Amino acid sequence: MTDPYNPKSEKPCRACSDFSQWMKVGPSKKSAEVQESVQKFAEQPELTKKLAGSKKQSESSGSDSKNLPNVSWPNPDQALIDFKSNVCPPDRSELGSATWNFLHSVAAYFPATPDPSQQEDARQLLNIVSRLYPCSDCAEDLRLDLKEEPPVVTSSEEFSQWMCRLHNKVNLKLGKPQFDCSRIFERWRDGWKDGSCD
Ligand SMILES: Cc1cc2nc3c(=O)[nH]c(=O)nc-3n(C[C@H](O)[C@H](O)[C@H](O)COP(=O)(O)OP(=O)(O)OC[C@H]3O[C@@H](n4cnc5c(N)ncnc54)[C@H](O)[C@@H]3O)c2cc1C
């Protein structure tokens, strides 16, 4: 899928695609290598046993698998059980990373020329996060930060740079390294210039 906010971009919109859609688009040179490793992974004997039931199930459900690689995916019910027993509620750090993933992606995919209501939505989003964020001292600091430097939401570029500065403020407070904001779109939208994300 192309990026709806950036239709002229030649790259597919990573944030708009899940793995199965991405495989349907047709592999690039790099993704063909990935496809090969997925195939190798799925051919491991112990995995083959585990997946045997799911293959039958997907065949009988008549799902359209023509465009997908020849890989058997886990039985969805089994996947749900594994999910429940292995995954724990996020701690402060996991919640923080997940939230930054979301906030930077919102900023990176924000329109280049947002209309007034989109700008208002972006401001509201930050205000709401600052009131509801489950880490209360983080939320309190965010409310102060928003007062000190209100969100700049006049374009995707400005919003992304503002978000980068906000994140760097938190990094500084936590003794973490500063991020180079000139690479914000590489990190959160386009992938690194060396092509390692293509
Ligand atoms: C609004 C908010 C406030 C928070 N306040 C606190 C707090 O007060 N105390 C606390 O302990 N934790 C706080 N956190 C969590 C904290 O910021 C980190 O998310 C957490 O410590 C995990 O850090 P990390 O090293 O895994 O990477 P994270 O800081 O979560 O960063 C995730 C990824 O973002 C990229 N990145 C890093 N910096 C930037 C930047 N400036 N711009 C763009 N991309 C960047 C890097 O690639 C990095 O791997 C807060 C989180 C949020 C969302």
Side-chain angles (χ1 to χ4, degrees):
M1 185 185 276
T2 51
D3 177 353
Y5 292 129
N6 194 6
K8 286 183 193 152
S9 168
E10 285 175 10
K11 295 194 173 187
C13 167
R14 288 176 81 97
C16 314
S17 319
D18 61 23
F19 182 72
S20 60
Q21 282 176 325
W22 173 69
M23 291 306 271
K24 279 182 191 172
V25 170
S28 66
K29 187 166 160 258
K30 273 247 170 65
S31 57
E33 285 162 18
V34 173
Q35 190 173 353
E36 199 182 310
S37 10
V38 169
Q39 189 71 45
K40 273 193 192 140
F41 174 73
E43 279 164 3
Q44 293 171 93
E46 65 278 19
L47 203 67
T48 312
K49 254 193 231 158
K50 204 175 167 189
L51 299 178
S54 61
K55 188 166 186 231
K56 267 189 215 145
Q57 195 189 356
S58 63
E59 278 167 4
S60 66
S61 71
S63 60
D64 176 16
S65 57
K66 263 179 262 161
N67 297 317
L68 291 172
N70 185 21
V71 170
S72 307
W73 301 104
N75 174 335
D77 297 336
Q78 187 62 44
L80 190 61
I81 293 163
D82 292 345
F83 207 6
K84 279 184 185 160
S85 57
N86 291 336
V87 179
C88 303
D91 59 17
R92 169 193 282 242
S93 169
E94 289 165 334
L95 180 66
S97 292
T99 307
W100 286 124
N101 268 269
F102 170 66
L103 291 176
H104 287 297
S105 299
V106 167
Y109 287 86
F110 198 61
T113 50
D115 64 32
S117 86
Q118 289 167 319
Q119 296 188 34
E120 184 52 25
D121 285 348
R123 280 189 286 264
Q124 287 289 338
L125 172 66
L126 269 306
N127 282 329
I128 290 168
V129 171
S130 80
R131 292 198 296 270
L132 295 181
Y133 193 67
C135 157
S136 56
D137 49 315
C138 309
E140 203 178 316
D141 282 357
L142 178 59
R143 288 195 293 276
L144 293 176
D145 288 337
L146 292 178
K147 264 199 193 139
E148 204 175 281
E149 189 181 349
V152 184
V153 293
T154 41
S155 69
S156 175
E157 173 71 40
E158 295 286 359
F159 192 20
S160 296
Q161 289 300 324
W162 176 87
M163 196 70 78
C164 188
R165 291 195 295 277
L166 175 73
H167 195 165
N168 271 341
K169 231 182 234 183
V170 178
N171 288 341
L172 190 68
K173 184 174 74 179
L174 301 179
K176 291 177 191 279
Q178 296 289 286
F179 183 87
D180 174 1
C181 293
S182 71
R183 307 194 74 178
I184 196 80
F185 283 139
E186 280 181 81
R187 172 65 179 91
W188 293 106
R189 194 188 64 190
D190 303 332
W192 302 110
K193 283 195 178 127
D194 66 6
S196 54
C197 303
D198 294 346

